[in-house]
Amino acid sequence: MGMRLPIGFRAGSTRAKIKPSGKPDLGLLVSGTPCSWAFVGTLNRAAAPSVNRGRKLYASGGLLQAIVVNAGNANCATGQAGVEADRRMAELAAVQLGIAPEAVLTGSTGVIGQPLPIEKIAAGLPQIQLGPEIDPFMEAILTTDLVPKMAEAELPGGARVVGICKGSGMIQPNMATMLAYILTDAAVSQAELRQGWKGVIDKSFNQVTVDTDTSTNDMAVLLANGASGEVPLPEFWAAVEGVCVSLARQLARDGEGATKLLTVKVNGALSDEEARKAALAVAASPLWKSAVYGNDPNWGRVMMAIGKSGAHFAVDRVRISLQGIPLYAGRVLEFDRASVSEAMRAEEVIVEVDLAEGEGQGVAWGCDLTEEYVRINALYTT
């Protein structure tokens, strides 16, 4: 059995032959009733038509009822033809479902700069069988991912939050992630969703980095169809944040070529924003990521990264620990390098930094940098 969708949602996928591999590559997600929704899209200025269209739908203030996504082709940098193909994809799904095109959000992921084969989408959509589990849809949106990324939480009264995302490379979101869809059957107003969503993004997906590259197609969407009624809002947002943090960690661990999850915790900053900036700078540093891969406790690279982040601190007050072992506390500490190196041979490597400036806290997630990352991206289209 797969992960069950919240009440009122159905999903499915098919092999539309967009991916050369022949794997599932076209997914459809539908709610039986219109949903309130919140949306965040990439800050990359070369944003794909799916992101630009999503922004326009979002600004219109209307409700959403379906999402159609293709993988294997980003439909980005494809000119007016790409814009028309994206619009046509929404229209085809709308006709099939008997709803307005404006109630359908599109998404695309894959190689940039190739025309979207809309004829394959037109042929594939009628083949999709909708069901109560999210797994088929999840499978259809994967690209270089090695594993699916899913999380769920239950709210008082039985309402649920279910989230999925895809992404493995080209990840330092600067908004959200590659593609993330969070669904709930709780009744939450559109105004409330839109007020709270960006704060969740800032604490979860915006704190993930694999390679510092912001995708052209990134989006994160939160939908609520209200099928299970109202829920306490504090519990709702705690559940949504928990699901998104879980997905963020899964994204980092499945980074292209990664062998370890890298978690960076920063405390004592002047603000939470500065703490998050410092944590992300450490998690994104190619030098530190390489050291993590090689089990090298070269804490100077952590100091370098927090220094370039722009966060305020004094070197003689900073504290740095690795796997719970103090390495620096305003001065160089004596430590057994071999023992610390051995401690780094773990599924998760944890760096803790105290800037000793204030009460700000932040966490970021990344992964080690390996030869496999280079191999994957050296041969991506060849």
Side-chain angles (χ1 to χ4, degrees):
M1 292 291 289
M3 183 174 288
R4 181 173 53 87
L5 286 157
I7 294 171
F9 287 97
R10 295 174 298 150
S13 68
T14 190
R15 292 172 169 84
K17 300 180 181 178
I18 302 169
K19 288 181 180 177
S21 66
K23 293 181 179 180
D25 53 15
L26 183 63
L28 188 60
L29 177 64
V30 184
S31 170
T33 56
C35 301
S36 55
W37 63 297
F39 169 95
V40 183
T42 183
L43 295 183
N44 191 310
R45 295 180 70 86
S50 57
V51 176
N52 292 329
R53 181 177 177 275
R55 285 201 176 100
K56 291 177 182 177
L57 291 179
Y58 193 56
S60 75
L63 301 181
L64 203 67
Q65 199 163 348
I67 299 174
V68 57
V69 184
N70 77 271
N73 185 309
N75 189 30
C76 178
T78 48
Q80 186 59 33
V83 174
E84 291 300 318
D86 182 74
R87 178 186 60 80
R88 183 61 179 150
M89 183 161 70
E91 290 176 348
L92 289 166
V95 169
Q96 182 166 315
L97 297 171
I99 60 178
E102 294 75 22
V104 180
L105 185 71
T106 57
S108 296
T109 181
V111 179
I112 294 170
Q114 296 184 357
L116 183 67
I118 194 64
E119 70 284 354
K120 293 183 178 180
I121 291 172
L125 275 171
Q127 301 173 19
I128 296 177
Q129 300 294 315
L130 299 174
E133 296 177 356
I134 192 67
D135 301 61
F137 181 85
M138 175 77 250
E139 184 182 8
I141 67 174
L142 301 178
T143 50
T144 58
D145 307 64
L146 295 180
V147 296
K149 301 161 184 72
M150 302 184 285
E152 62 180 328
E154 188 163 330
L155 294 160
R160 296 171 63 242
V161 176
V162 171
I164 64 167
C165 67
K166 65 81 52 186
S168 188
M170 201 185 291
I171 293 179
Q172 182 160 315
N174 207 17
M175 61 100 252
T177 181
M178 296 294 285
L179 296 176
Y181 304 109
I182 316 300
L183 318 170
T184 182
D185 48 13
V188 184
S189 72
Q190 186 142 291
E192 175 66 27
L193 288 186
R194 296 185 174 193
Q195 182 176 354
W197 185 223
K198 183 62 167 62
V200 170
I201 295 295
D202 284 343
K203 295 177 182 177
S204 56
F205 296 126
N206 268 358
Q207 290 300 107
V208 179
T209 180
V210 170
D211 48 23
T212 77
D213 284 333
T214 298
S215 169
T216 56
N217 291 56
D218 290 351
M219 66 173 65
V221 188
L222 172 62
L223 295 89
N225 68 9
S228 289
E230 295 184 358
V231 298
L233 289 176
E235 285 87 342
F236 170 75
W237 285 116
V240 171
E241 184 174 325
V243 165
C244 291
V245 166
S246 173
L247 294 174
R249 287 173 56 85
Q250 292 176 55
L251 271 172
R253 179 60 185 88
D254 193 35
E256 288 175 343
T259 67
K260 304 173 185 177
L261 171 65
L262 170 59
T263 298
V264 183
K265 302 178 180 179
V266 174
N267 297 303
L270 283 180
S271 66
D272 288 351
E273 181 181 1
E274 286 206 359
R276 290 196 295 266
K277 282 169 52 178
L280 194 59
V282 176
S285 165
L287 284 172
W288 177 241
K289 288 156 61 72
S290 299
V292 170
Y293 173 53
N295 306 307
D296 181 8
N298 187 354
W299 60 265
R301 293 178 175 180
V302 176
M303 182 72 79
M304 172 278 299
I306 61 175
K308 74 174 184 178
S309 73
H312 293 81
F313 67 92
V315 174
D316 60 1
R317 293 205 303 272
V318 172
R319 294 175 179 269
I320 299 172
S321 296
L322 180 59
Q323 300 298 71
I325 303 168
L327 305 184
Y328 182 89
R331 60 182 178 83
V332 179
L333 301 178
E334 295 290 334
F335 63 91
D336 185 330
R337 189 168 296 272
S339 295
V340 180
S341 178
E342 187 61 32
M344 295 175 72
R345 298 178 187 275
E347 178 74 15
E348 180 177 6
V349 173
I350 301 174
V351 179
E352 295 173 279
V353 177
D354 188 341
L355 297 181
E357 292 287 339
E359 302 298 321
Q361 301 180 22
V363 183
W365 301 277
C367 59
D368 54 346
L369 179 59
T370 72
E371 299 95 333
E372 183 66 7
Y373 177 86
V374 177
R375 189 196 67 79
I376 290 169
N377 288 288
L379 305 174
Y380 195 81
T381 65
T382 54

